Amino acid sequence: MHRAKIAFIGRAARYSPNSVGKDTAILAAVRRQLLGRGYDCADIVWEDRPADIDEADAYVSMGRLQDTLNWLGDYERQWVPVVNATAGIMICKQRCLLMKLLEGDFPVPPLVGGDSYWVKRGDTFTETAADVQYAADRATADRLCEEMLQRGVLMVDVRAHITGDLVKFYGVRGTGFFRCYYPGDDGDWKLGHEVHNGKPHHYAFDRQALQQLTERVASLVCLDVYGGDCIIRPDGQPVLIDLNDWPSFSRCRDEAAQAIAERVIQRIEKTDEW
């Protein structure tokens, strides 16, 4: 029986600050899983070398460059499976659009709220620390917003800071795979929301309800492989603050690779829910 040929596309280094090795590791682990299941798997090629990418029956891609998304979109229009779908990447790329889509039906930080805010680049993926900044008050938020616009950022998303426990989540849609962790589990409380929310209080929350929430969000946004951050408020309710395509799954890589391979096969064999 013919087994599909699968191409693997790695993310450009600019979109993996300090995480190139981790991102490569999860993609390589997925490739090993699919090789073990009898699929014809091409070598991993990075998206900044598109000439090296072979034509295939399916594409497993971490790519984010617009050129990558454009030509993968051409294959999608020919019904070639692409994981993640380019539509999902485009939505995650535009944070302002993503948050607008989620408002109303999903718990996200409000535009106005308490005393402090987060100012985040809204027109493309975060690449540097300057693209995500904490503001202790609205005046500081307005100043940071103006500074971003002056350095060429086209859109800025400003949201109220939410107090509670920061929880990072990882999922693979349609497979039942879901994991969530406190970022302090590895002793790292140095950056971003970790600093301003402090070490976790371990507020009780419904893990299954969080999984169902993130699965619904991933379905809306057209992501098969996803991760993100939420804040668990003292009352146990989650607030989504970030959604990402293709996290590194460094804490659960082997299990995630099995689930991602399963999802790729669902897409190839058309047993998925699309």
Side-chain angles (χ1 to χ4, degrees), residues 2-269:
H2 169 71
R3 303 308 296 268
K5 180 177 181 179
I6 305 173
F8 296 81
I9 304 171
R11 183 179 293 153
R14 62 189 275 196
Y15 295 127
S16 295
N18 304 313
S19 297
V20 172
K22 294 177 182 178
D23 286 348
T24 302
I26 182 61
L27 196 58
V30 173
R31 181 178 179 275
R32 287 193 298 272
Q33 285 287 329
L34 290 165
L35 276 171
R37 301 186 194 194
Y39 287 87
D40 179 7
C41 296
D43 292 336
I44 297 173
V45 175
W46 274 259
E47 64 174 328
D48 47 7
R49 300 203 305 269
D52 296 338
I53 301 173
D54 295 332
E55 286 198 3
D57 301 305
Y59 292 86
V60 178
S61 174
M62 301 180 82
R64 288 178 171 177
L65 292 173
Q66 191 60 52
D67 285 348
T68 305
L69 301 179
N70 288 344
W71 62 257
L72 283 175
D74 289 340
Y75 284 111
E76 287 178 315
R77 285 184 282 275
Q78 300 171 47
W79 302 103
V80 175
V82 177
V83 177
N84 275 312
T86 58
I89 310 303
M90 289 296 296
I91 292 172
C92 288
K93 180 178 182 178
Q94 301 173 70
R95 178 180 172 81
C96 290
L97 171 60
L98 169 64
M99 300 305 282
K100 192 67 177 176
L101 279 175
L102 300 184
E103 281 177 349
D105 294 325
F106 299 96
V108 297
L111 297 171
V112 296
D115 296 329
S116 53
Y117 292 85
W118 285 93
V119 181
K120 301 186 179 185
R121 183 169 192 159
D123 61 342
T124 190
F125 295 108
T126 297
E127 296 182 34
T128 71
D131 291 337
V132 179
Q133 298 192 56
Y134 174 78
D137 51 49
R138 186 70 208 198
T140 303
D142 291 342
R143 176 178 58 79
L144 292 173
C145 182
E146 183 61 30
E147 289 176 358
M148 282 192 185
L149 293 171
Q150 287 180 356
R151 66 182 175 88
V153 174
L154 299 178
M155 290 184 288
V156 181
D157 185 63
V158 181
R159 298 274 165 177
H161 173 74
I162 305 296
T163 300
D165 289 341
L166 176 64
V167 170
K168 294 183 175 291
F169 59 84
Y170 306 86
V172 182
R173 194 164 69 89
T175 68
F177 177 86
F178 180 79
R179 300 289 184 274
C180 56
Y181 305 95
Y182 296 105
D185 290 348
D186 57 7
D188 182 8
W189 290 97
K190 299 178 182 179
L191 298 173
H193 290 274
E194 292 94 326
V195 170
H196 299 289
N197 282 288
K199 291 189 176 181
H201 295 84
H202 295 97
Y203 297 125
F205 69 97
D206 188 331
R207 181 188 174 282
Q208 184 176 8
L210 179 60
Q211 178 178 358
Q212 292 171 347
L213 171 67
T214 61
E215 190 88 352
R216 286 171 51 221
V217 170
S219 179
L220 172 69
V221 180
C222 302
L223 288 181
D224 289 314
V225 183
Y226 65 91
D229 301 328
C230 69
I231 300 294
I232 303 297
R233 302 187 313 190
D235 62 4
Q237 295 303 306
V239 179
L240 295 171
I241 58 174
D242 274 310
L243 182 70
N244 306 306
D245 63 285
W246 268 101
S248 62
F249 295 96
S250 56
R251 297 185 186 183
C252 50
R253 182 179 299 132
D254 291 341
E255 295 172 281
Q258 294 178 31
I260 296 168
E262 178 183 339
R263 184 59 177 171
V264 172
I265 293 170
Q266 289 176 3
R267 295 292 310 281
I268 289 172
E269 298 184 353

